[in-house]
Amino acid sequence: MEYIHFLDSDDWLELNCIEECVRGALESRSEIVWHDFKIFNEISRQITYDTFLKELNLEDNKLLSGLQIFQQLKQPSFSWTWPGLIETRKVENMRFELGIESEDAIFGMQLFALSHKIAILRKELMYYRIRSNSISQHTLVDKTSKGITFPPHQQDLVQAFGSNIYNIRHYQFAYSCAIICLKMDEFLKKEKLHDDLRKILKTMIEVRAIYAFGGCGFEKDPRNVREICSKLLNYTSRIRWSSKLAYHYPRVFRILKKIKALIRG
């Protein structure tokens, strides 16, 4: 059996991480070993413990299916890539979506949906780093792009929104959520899944669609978020009325937005 462990370039593993994971995988004959991790805040220089596994109250060394784990989630949202070991054959036909944020959302939802033997290892074997100017947006406090360098795949957004980093990042997030919803919709149509699992994944798509349709409220749409959202109309039960207005009646939305700005100004 062959396994793979992903890791972001600015994070790091404990020296015994792979050894512990391989031992756990071989003993349990699992497809995935999911371990805990610590969080290192580069700005405050503090280390804290992640509480996600603890909050799920999953038993150590017990094999679970993706459905069983999804049923324990406190919120209908799931992302997973690097806190664990994965049997290589599970990801042979999987690829990360380029040019979006939260690419681990598509990966995690699909991987766990297709997995039936997930082992829980309650040990902190990795450090997740929070740093300034991260694509995870932990330190978004300024609306200007002064001092910020954007990667090549975001240069179209820089051209569209100029120096407004708030619009660049929030539009990028809306676009990313739209792509996530679209890919998960294609996944549901392709795979034969348990009805309970299908319902959970549909709810997860509906939650991401809130932010996807939020992209319809921007004055510019360089990546055609509106067109992508036209394929997601089956997932609009949770989106805000303002996003519905922006999608269905963009001119009315822009007029009301200008009136609101005048009142506030």
Side-chain angles (χ1 to χ4, degrees):
M1 299 176 70
E2 297 180 353
Y3 292 89
I4 186 171
H5 194 302
F6 292 105
L7 185 70
D8 289 343
S9 60
D10 56 351
D11 301 332
W12 70 93
L13 302 176
E14 291 283 10
L15 292 176
N16 64 334
C17 177
I18 301 301
E19 179 183 357
E20 292 277 358
C21 286
V22 171
R23 182 186 298 114
L26 294 178
E27 289 177 355
S28 63
R29 306 297 293 179
S30 58
E31 300 167 300
I32 300 171
V33 176
W34 185 0
H35 60 69
D36 273 323
F37 61 91
K38 299 175 185 178
I39 301 171
F40 171 62
N41 190 312
E42 193 176 70
I43 302 169
S44 66
R45 312 301 292 180
Q46 293 182 334
I47 294 176
T48 56
Y49 293 89
D50 177 69
T51 60
F52 192 68
L53 268 179
K54 183 178 180 181
E55 290 172 354
L56 291 182
N57 197 29
L58 301 177
E59 295 182 32
D60 201 5
N61 297 319
K62 182 177 180 179
L63 285 178
L64 300 168
S65 68
L67 173 58
Q68 288 174 305
I69 290 174
F70 288 163
Q71 288 173 330
Q72 296 296 317
L73 296 175
K74 306 301 181 183
Q75 302 292 335
S77 179
F78 189 76
S79 298
W80 197 95
T81 302
W82 35 250
L85 202 68
I86 310 164
E87 191 177 358
T88 305
R89 67 178 181 86
K90 297 294 295 184
V91 297
E92 284 179 347
N93 297 317
M94 298 182 69
R95 297 294 183 271
F96 290 109
E97 190 70 24
L98 298 177
I100 69 168
E101 293 179 25
S102 304
E103 69 280 0
D104 54 342
I106 302 174
F107 182 87
M109 285 187 283
Q110 293 186 3
L111 175 65
F112 273 57
L114 298 175
S115 298
H116 303 281
K117 296 187 294 182
I118 303 169
I120 307 301
L121 184 59
R122 295 297 301 275
K123 295 182 179 180
E124 296 86 12
L125 298 176
M126 195 202 82
Y127 285 84
Y128 170 59
R129 185 196 303 263
I130 294 178
R131 59 180 176 80
S132 60
N133 197 26
S134 168
I135 61 171
S136 299
Q137 303 183 22
H138 293 290
T139 57
L140 180 54
V141 295
D142 190 355
K143 291 189 177 183
T144 67
S145 59
K146 183 179 180 180
I148 302 296
T149 301
F150 292 95
H153 71 269
Q154 290 185 0
Q155 290 305 310
D156 59 323
L157 304 186
V158 174
Q159 291 178 8
F161 298 111
S163 63
N164 192 317
I165 187 175
Y166 184 90
N167 283 350
I168 293 171
R169 285 190 162 178
H170 282 265
Y171 181 89
Q172 166 76 6
F173 184 67
Y175 167 76
S176 299
C177 287
I179 294 297
I180 291 168
C181 291
L182 185 63
K183 294 299 181 180
M184 288 306 301
D185 176 63
E186 294 172 355
F187 177 78
L188 287 185
K189 292 174 179 176
K190 179 183 68 174
E191 298 292 339
K192 294 181 179 179
L193 303 171
H194 189 282
D195 286 346
D196 290 342
L197 179 56
R198 186 172 295 275
K199 289 178 182 177
I200 291 173
L201 291 175
K202 185 176 185 294
T203 301
M204 290 182 180
I205 298 174
E206 290 173 344
V207 170
R208 296 274 178 179
I210 295 173
Y211 305 101
F213 277 83
C216 297
F218 287 85
E219 293 184 4
K220 297 181 179 180
D221 190 12
R223 295 188 178 176
N224 299 315
V225 168
R226 181 182 299 279
E227 182 179 345
I228 299 173
C229 286
S230 69
K231 302 175 184 178
L232 303 173
L233 296 178
N234 291 331
Y235 302 101
T236 58
S237 62
R238 296 169 182 258
I239 68 173
R240 304 176 183 91
W241 73 267
S242 58
S243 296
K244 292 181 180 179
L245 185 66
Y247 175 77
H248 292 287
Y249 307 102
R251 291 184 63 184
V252 174
F253 175 81
R254 287 195 294 269
I255 291 171
L256 293 177
K257 188 177 180 179
K258 288 181 180 179
I259 293 174
K260 184 177 180 180
L262 288 172
I263 293 173
R264 285 187 171 180

